[in-house]
Amino acid sequence: MAIPTVLKPRMLVAATAAFALSACFGAPDVMKRSDAKRPGAKTVQRPQVTGAPSFTSTDAQQCAFDLKQAGVRFTPLPNQDHGGGCSSIDSVKLLDIGTPVTNLGPMTCPLARNFAAWAQYAVRPAARKYFGTEVVKIETYGTYSCRNIYGGRSGRLSQHAYSNAIDVAGFVLADGRRIMLDGGWKGDRPSQDFLRALHKSACRRFGTVLSPDYNAAHYNHFHLDMSGNGFCR
Ligand SMILES: [Zn+2]
């Protein structure tokens, strides 16, 4: 299987380095990396003009290939500079990852690839393990949003501003139950175990994972993004 290999954190670092926008913005200070100072670091490139061709780099093409190999249906999006520093570079619109997902906007390909793998290899098996049923829908608060961290008026842009983050609100099971972060994180035992198993798995797959334990702003969702290198709270 190609997917588990490509999801190793070290390779993600390499992959995200090519996504020049992602590494040094929107992440807590503790995990900021200085790519410019690393030997062999790639030159940071500015967002391309609206409508520019996407998936021209080797890393981006590999990512699109990996998505296809995983059986994911998606539409590649043209590179977009949305203004205000916000962009969607080498991004996709996910059409089918095997489980319906609400509110999906543009996602950078590495984010889409890891999200699809998380749904397949973590979310669905965990639902079977803890609830004995299937997940029929993943509910999110969206992906792209041109805004600062925590929606503040000043400060760094959020990874959402680069289409490089997704906020997951909860999961609908085949029997109709809804296991939401708001309520479930401190809810009954199966809900707690299920959500913590998903959190643990997410921390192996995404660069930054913020849960309700991180701060009050995250009481109702997991924030998953591809910046940083294993910031897990
Ligand atoms: Zn978020």
Side-chain angles (χ1 to χ4, degrees):
M1 295 288 271
I3 282 300
T5 306
V6 301
L7 294 175
K8 286 177 181 168
R10 288 198 170 280
M11 298 196 67
L12 288 179
V13 170
T16 16
F19 288 79
L21 298 165
S22 64
C24 294
F25 302 92
D29 287 330
V30 65
M31 42 167 277
K32 280 173 74 175
R33 293 184 296 120
S34 180
D35 283 347
K37 292 175 188 162
R38 272 193 306 138
K42 295 177 183 177
T43 306
V44 173
Q45 295 179 357
R46 303 303 308 157
Q48 298 177 44
V49 297
T50 297
S54 54
F55 293 91
T56 53
S57 73
T58 307
D59 284 342
Q61 287 168 3
Q62 179 66 47
C63 181
F65 178 80
D66 292 339
L67 269 185
K68 284 178 197 155
Q69 287 290 103
V72 171
R73 285 183 54 241
F74 64 98
T75 302
L77 301 175
N79 286 342
Q80 296 276 328
D81 179 347
H82 302 289
C86 301
S87 63
S88 302
I89 305 297
D90 291 335
S91 296
V92 301
K93 168 79 175 170
L94 286 179
L95 302 177
D96 184 2
I97 65 167
T99 304
V101 185
T102 62
N103 294 322
L104 284 183
M107 303 169 81
T108 61
C109 186
L111 176 68
R113 177 174 63 189
N114 285 21
F115 181 73
W118 182 65
Q120 179 173 354
Y121 297 112
V123 175
R124 281 180 247 162
R128 292 182 206 119
K129 177 177 177 180
Y130 293 104
F131 299 111
T133 187
E134 296 295 319
V135 168
V136 296
K137 193 193 295 180
I138 299 174
E139 296 190 352
T140 88
Y141 293 129
T143 57
Y144 171 78
S145 174
C146 190
R147 59 178 163 83
N148 291 324
I149 293 176
Y150 311 139
R153 293 183 126 193
S154 60
R156 290 189 307 275
L157 283 169
S158 162
Q159 287 293 310
H160 290 284
Y162 308 116
S163 312
N164 205 30
I166 182 168
D167 291 335
V168 176
F171 308 85
V172 181
L173 305 179
D175 59 16
R177 275 180 290 176
R178 297 171 83 243
I179 312 300
M180 308 304 288
L181 270 293
D182 183 8
W185 188 252
K186 293 178 179 173
D188 60 26
R189 179 50 54 187
S191 296
Q192 286 201 28
D193 290 347
F194 171 69
L195 293 174
R196 276 159 185 77
L198 298 189
H199 179 260
K200 189 175 174 186
S201 171
C203 286
R204 292 195 297 266
R205 297 172 182 276
F206 299 91
T208 296
V209 173
L210 305 177
S211 76
D213 284 347
Y214 180 58
N215 63 16
H218 293 82
Y219 78 97
N220 63 353
H221 65 278
F222 286 139
H223 168 97
L224 313 174
D225 81 48
M226 298 302 297
S227 73
N229 187 16
F231 188 82
C232 171
R233 294 292 187 276

